[in-house]
Amino acid sequence: MEERVKKIYERLQKREYRNLRRVEDVALSNDCKQISDLALRSARRLYELVAQEQAVLFEEDRIGMMRTITSVPPLLQEEEQKALYLGRFVFDSAQVGNISSDYEGILADGFLKKRALLSVQKEKYATDSKQFKELEAMNVCIDAILLLAEKYRAEAEKMGNTRLAEALKRVPMYAPNGYYEALVMMRMINFTLWLNANKHNTLGRFDEYMYPYFLKDVERGSITREEALALTQEFFIDLNFDADLYPGVQQGDNGQSLVLGGVNADGDPVWNELSELCLEASLSLNLIDPKINIRVSKETPFSVYEKGTLLTKQGLGFPQYSNDDVVIPALCKMGYDLCDARNYVVAACWEFIIPGVAYEIPNVDALNYPGIVLDVIKEKLVGVHSFDELLSEVKARIQSVCFSLAEGTKNIFVEPSPFQSIVMTDCIERAQDISEGAKYNNYGFHGAGLSTAADSLAAVKKLVFEEKAVTAQELICALDNDFNGYGNLRAQCLACPKMGNNDDFVDGIAVALTDCFADSLAGLKNERGGIFRAGTGSAMYYIWYSEKLGATPDGRKKGEPFSANYSPSLNVKFDGVLSVIHSFTKPHLERVCNGGPLTLEFHDTLFRNEEGTQKVARLVKLFVENGGHQLQLNAINRETLLDAQKHPEDHKNLIVRVWGWSGYFNELDLEYQNHIIKRIEFLS
Amino acid sequence: MSKEGIIFSIEEFSVYDGPGIRTTVFFKGCPLRCNWCHNPEGLEARVQVVKSPNGCIACGACKEVCKYKEGCVACGACIPVCPRSLIRFSGTKYTAEALSKKLLKNADYLSQAGGGVTFSGGECFMQWEFLCEVLTLLKGKVHTAIQTCGYASNEVFCKGLSLVDYVMFDLKILDEEKARKFTGVGTEQILKNFRSLSTSGVPFVVRVPLIPDVTDTEENLKAIAETVAQSNARGVELLPYNKMAGSKYTMVGKVYNPLFDEQKAPNVNLAPFVQRGIKVKIM
């Protein structure tokens, strides 16, 4: 690593820069608070925050930027919020987030072109119209980002950092002239999105939208590979400086995902030198942000898997792989235009979304498969005469729960987000804030605990209906007593077929459940005219739902967690990873393609030499070639994690994958730490 | 009905047991008693009851139900009563048909990934009839390999060779006296089988465990390299001693008693092989 970059890296590690943050919270002016139009108020807030931000640069910075304001004041006053929220559906604190900006578009235009467009648009509307106010709000946000840029330009100039000062004379006002300026502009946008209270700000298809700028430099010979690498490293490090200020369920859950590879809108492969440079930068840094995702397909060269596996080996919990061969057709079936489907990225974790033209909420709620199965068993098992009858009851319940979940999303309230609107493809043209919708307005539901549900039904099928080893009443009694006094029955339950062993007896049930989930959402529309997408992710629901759920017929005791995402149950001995892949590619994944990866944990000794690493890469390829939709691999070592619980001070940089994101182990709550320790390792 | 085999583990996605991605089947029973053996579950050719010591709360429930206090007969009565689920059978009986059926379930993936099935142990030739039966059932359907110490009758060994696609053959110690001391058997039978292997046309590699001051000596490695150089081996794979070797002994009710300095790092000496133009890699 270049000396200059090393200095930046060390600054991040030492954390002393955090002392430069303001101690007191910033407050909004009364003028701002009293603006009745929320779009205008939001814009004003951003402007006031920028006005109070202090540009901080260090000698070694070429891109730089760090927050000095620690928290963004809420847009709504307490009483006002209460009134506005009343009777409304409020998701994720009513913030726009978890979407992907049109970076390609904003880089090509620059903010001044956007401003010109705004002026033209404003002419079309009466000054007291909603459209006019929203456009005006966007205009104020442009003032804000330009002010921010000017502050940094002045600071750079003052420090004699002419390169940055020169760059900031051009960006973000105009399109960048080369890779370096594009990075500065991206950093400025990223910084502003966070300061604007947007959540889960994804980075999209970095190797696609940045490539023209990179190529321009390469072609005119104005950048060497080393310089490009150093700048990419710096940009990646910069994404981490304020990460502790970014909101999420746990620290690290901030959505700074970056996508590499895949095909472009025309269907041509994207993978290029810059993709490789990003992998190299990430590998050299060992940081949780940005979280690397690779889009792959049957056409992907093996070398891409090999390079990706080097990151996995590092224990970062990424790259995560998404399979274009499954995802693109699935998105087309959901109604996305082919060119948009080809352009997909992942949201904060793994949900498939379209950059620029979508305001989707792919994580709006989650189906609790095991909860439904348990309820139905307790209510209906005694009365039904066959397993098929029971399964029909479960399906009927899934359908009614899906309907209620969909109903629950109605009458949503979202705060306007004029700055985010500027960096979307056509909010200005439509004179509409992004919070009110876009070309695509779909919602997605996770499907938590699939394996626990399938295993539970398999146990009932085998023990109650086929072997008649236990009566319905006895089983329910055992469940009600959390298996206390039913040790033998629990052992029998645990010995029943489990999803992940390539056994159609139970895998078939999982297929039926996922199909039913998809069927139940088919045809339902949300209030914005979008559809509901069924998924295989869990987000934090593998903890939230399981904590409250009683014992289940698969032998799981009360409160024990489900597996995260789309994975076999915990604490079950499996034949191995090949059988797991067989099992988990049986469901019709193109029908439940909201996102949610098969998650596999490997002991880190598997990667001890090139042979091991090569074979893991082969396994990923195998998964892709056999119709898997998404895969997340983690290299972990149980002993290391246990030691980190005892001696956190020795493991400050220990990174683990949690559900759809990587975080520092020490910064996780105990229950999330313990879950990771419990997950199965496929030892070798 | 054909003879049943006793298997103590089947590992999918085993990456260090032959070419490509493989499933490794561990046979119970071994004719050798290598002092450094890290897989004591593989020693006895019978089903055993094993108990993990980690997490035992000494509640006594297992002892209470035991009817064979003088000697375990692997009745398994203690298994369900352990509140921490620490007791289990080691060894599952399979018919050749059942085992091959199970293995073939992943044949598509294994073939796609340039791999196959590996038979290891213990020593797979300890159950040679079963081994040959399974190999026959798998022939032409999935690539097969065996990992062997080479200690078997030559007739049996050659029969196995005629059915298998790839061999990993252990050469541990070539000094007769030391071999008897540290592995429990001499070298004659092993070397005889090695010669058969070398002329069989079956592709093979030689594996050498590196045990400090036992197998990693200059003298031993030179002797092995010399033997390998005169054979058709494709290369040598060195397996440095792992300090975790003793960790499974308590579980099978045995005591680990290394006759060498466990703390000493094995001498990973490639020179004797490199000098003779032998391809060598460290596993």
Side-chain angles (χ1 to χ4, degrees), chain A residues 89-100:
Chain A
F89 168 56
V90 176
F91 179 76
D92 213 1
S93 333
Q95 303 301 320
V96 170
N98 209 21
I99 60 177
S100 198

Side-chain angles (χ1 to χ4, degrees), chain A residues 358-479:
Chain A
Y359 175 44
E360 313 200 86
I361 310 183
N363 53 339
V364 73
D365 212 330
L367 185 74
N368 180 355
Y369 282 115
I372 291 173
V373 165
L374 187 61
D375 283 349
V376 172
I377 285 171
K378 287 196 175 169
E379 291 166 32
K380 309 276 182 172
L381 184 60
V382 172
V384 298
H385 301 94
S386 69
F387 178 73
D388 286 344
E389 219 178 294
L390 180 72
L391 193 60
S392 301
E393 294 285 354
V394 170
K395 288 182 183 173
R397 188 66 58 90
I398 289 177
Q399 185 149 24
S400 69
V401 169
C402 281
F403 190 75
S404 331
L405 288 176
E407 282 293 303
T409 66
K410 280 192 176 160
N411 203 14
I412 193 167
F413 171 73
V414 187
E415 288 178 9
S417 192
F419 180 72
Q420 178 73 72
S421 305
I422 302 166
V423 291
M424 299 306 281
T425 306
D426 59 357
C427 284
I428 299 177
E429 283 85 342
R430 290 185 294 113
Q432 192 180 46
D433 190 272
I434 186 62
S435 61
E436 290 158 43
K439 181 177 178 185
Y440 299 108
N441 301 288
N442 302 324
Y443 289 171
F445 293 131
H446 302 311
L450 175 68
S451 49
T452 305
D455 294 351
S456 294
L457 285 170
V460 171
K461 184 178 181 184
K462 184 159 187 267
L463 298 178
V464 178
F465 292 103
E466 292 190 356
E467 294 178 359
K468 302 197 192 312
V470 59
T471 65
Q473 286 93 339
E474 273 175 303
L475 178 67
I476 291 167
C477 197
L479 297 175

Side-chain angles (χ1 to χ4, degrees), chain A residues 27-46:
Chain A
L28 299 178
S29 70
N30 280 333
D31 283 356
C32 176
K33 287 179 191 166
Q34 277 156 15
I35 298 174
S36 60
D37 183 86
L38 292 183
L40 284 167
R41 193 193 297 173
S42 169
R44 189 73 217 166
R45 173 179 65 174
L46 181 63

Side-chain angles (χ1 to χ4, degrees), chain A residues 502 575-576 578-579 582 615, chain B residues 12 15 18 102 105-106 281:
Chain A
N502 191 12
D575 287 349
L578 299 181
S579 296
H582 266 298
K615 287 182 185 176
Chain B
E12 283 181 15
V15 307
K102 186 177 170 74
K105 273 171 86 176
N106 286 323
K281 81 182 162 182

